[in-house]
Amino acid sequence: MTTEKNQQSTTHFGYKTIESEQKQAMVADVFHSVAAKYDIMNDVMSFGVHRLWKRFTLDASNVRPGNKVLDLAGGTGDLTRKFSQAVGPTGKVILADINDSMIKVGREKLHNLGVVGNVEYVQANAQALPFAENTFDLVTIAFGLRNVTDKDEALSSIFRVLKPGGRLLVLEFSKPEQAWLNKAYDFYSFKILPEMGQLIAGDKESYQYLSESIRMHPDQETLKGMMETAGFDQVSFTNMTGGIVALHKGFKF
């Protein structure tokens, strides 16, 4: 007999069903493993297109001087770097990530680029953000939501820390719009990408998981509904690269 409690006690790790309390540690192992080669693999995996996806996200953020921004699952700091420039000396950007290896790589990278003064680094779980209510003008989570154990809980936590009038941007892999593209994407993801992970990062299994995690992530309409359930208004999404990636936007009013 399957009870609601049993259903809630399990989750997905790629295509595997695991106990919910196991996922955080298992995802942490993946990102500890890939952190050092993360930027290189992003460029190789996406043929550099991830930079355009992030540029679109920055343009959609409407961030202004003096704003306070939370770059959640900020990893190696690509968005943090741009937001730091946009908010200026009177603003603040917090790069938050659950994985300390990713934070260390991001901090070193940004320090080497001279991004200092208005950036802070916090190790935090998206499901229980350690910030006061109504703190941020903008929260972004780029390529991180699919790795969260309880996405509904994370969306509610983000909603709590946003200021009234603030916005959430979720940049994430999603479902391709065309059948032919979906087929080609599957071939690339499961036949080529793990081999690239082995060749460049020495880690085939982590990139196999990352491909599987994308397929288990809610599609565009489902994620839109989850954001609305969490309290966000005027939720919308924009597909990029044929729906391989989508940017969801929602407001807290």
Side-chain angles (χ1 to χ4, degrees):
M1 180 177 178
T2 301
T3 66
E4 183 178 355
K5 182 177 180 180
N6 288 334
Q7 290 173 337
Q8 291 175 345
S9 70
T10 61
T11 189
H12 295 287
F13 180 77
Y15 289 161
K16 299 175 183 176
T17 299
I18 61 172
E19 295 297 316
S20 294
E21 61 266 23
Q22 293 179 298
K23 182 166 182 175
Q24 183 174 320
M26 293 174 74
V27 170
D29 287 342
V30 169
F31 284 93
H32 286 314
S33 176
V34 304
K37 298 286 186 179
Y38 189 76
D39 284 340
I40 295 172
M41 280 298 296
N42 275 352
D43 279 328
V44 172
M45 286 189 304
S46 71
F47 307 100
V49 180
H50 75 99
R51 299 177 185 274
L52 300 179
W53 299 332
K54 291 170 182 173
R55 168 55 63 181
F56 186 86
T57 302
L58 179 68
D59 291 343
S61 71
N62 200 34
V63 69
R64 294 287 184 267
N67 280 174
K68 191 167 186 180
V69 176
L70 174 62
D71 183 14
L72 188 56
T76 58
D78 283 349
L79 283 175
T80 292
R81 178 187 179 189
K82 299 296 185 182
F83 287 135
S84 172
Q85 297 168 350
V87 303
T90 61
K92 180 181 289 186
V93 183
I94 295 180
L95 188 162
D97 202 293
I98 197 170
N99 189 282
D100 64 320
S101 294
M102 295 293 284
I103 292 175
K104 288 174 183 175
V105 172
R107 182 190 292 115
E108 181 178 4
K109 171 183 169 181
L110 295 184
H111 281 187
N112 290 341
L113 291 169
V115 181
V116 295
N118 64 352
V119 175
E120 296 180 6
Y121 302 86
V122 175
Q123 187 171 0
N125 187 334
Q127 296 173 206
L129 293 171
F131 308 108
E133 292 184 15
N134 307 324
T135 296
F136 297 99
D137 299 285
L138 170 71
V139 176
T140 60
I141 180 166
F143 305 115
L145 185 61
R146 72 181 189 279
N147 296 309
V148 174
T149 303
D150 190 328
K151 297 171 181 62
D152 293 312
E153 193 171 326
L155 290 170
S156 294
S157 184
I158 292 168
F159 187 84
R160 180 184 64 81
V161 302
L162 271 173
K163 295 178 182 178
R167 70 182 66 191
L168 165 65
L169 297 177
V170 180
L171 180 65
E172 188 56 88
F173 292 107
S174 200
K175 184 173 178 58
E177 300 170 279
Q178 302 294 329
W180 70 267
L181 180 58
N182 195 50
K183 187 174 181 179
Y185 186 44
D186 277 348
F187 177 82
Y188 172 74
S189 298
F190 294 108
K191 299 298 183 182
I192 298 176
L193 182 56
E195 299 301 330
M196 291 167 58
Q198 180 62 41
L199 180 65
I200 296 171
D203 188 346
K204 181 176 181 177
E205 290 186 2
S206 290
Y207 285 93
Q208 180 74 26
Y209 158 73
L210 292 172
S211 293
E212 293 176 2
S213 71
I214 292 168
R215 301 315 188 280
M216 299 304 295
H217 185 66
D219 64 18
Q220 290 92 325
E221 289 291 346
T222 302
L223 180 55
K224 178 184 177 184
M226 292 168 65
M227 290 174 64
E228 290 170 339
T229 298
F232 289 95
D233 289 307
Q234 296 182 15
V235 180
S236 62
F237 64 84
T238 303
N239 284 324
M240 293 177 276
T241 317
I244 287 175
V245 165
L247 178 67
H248 281 70
K249 181 192 299 183
F251 294 84
K252 176 180 178 178
F253 293 134

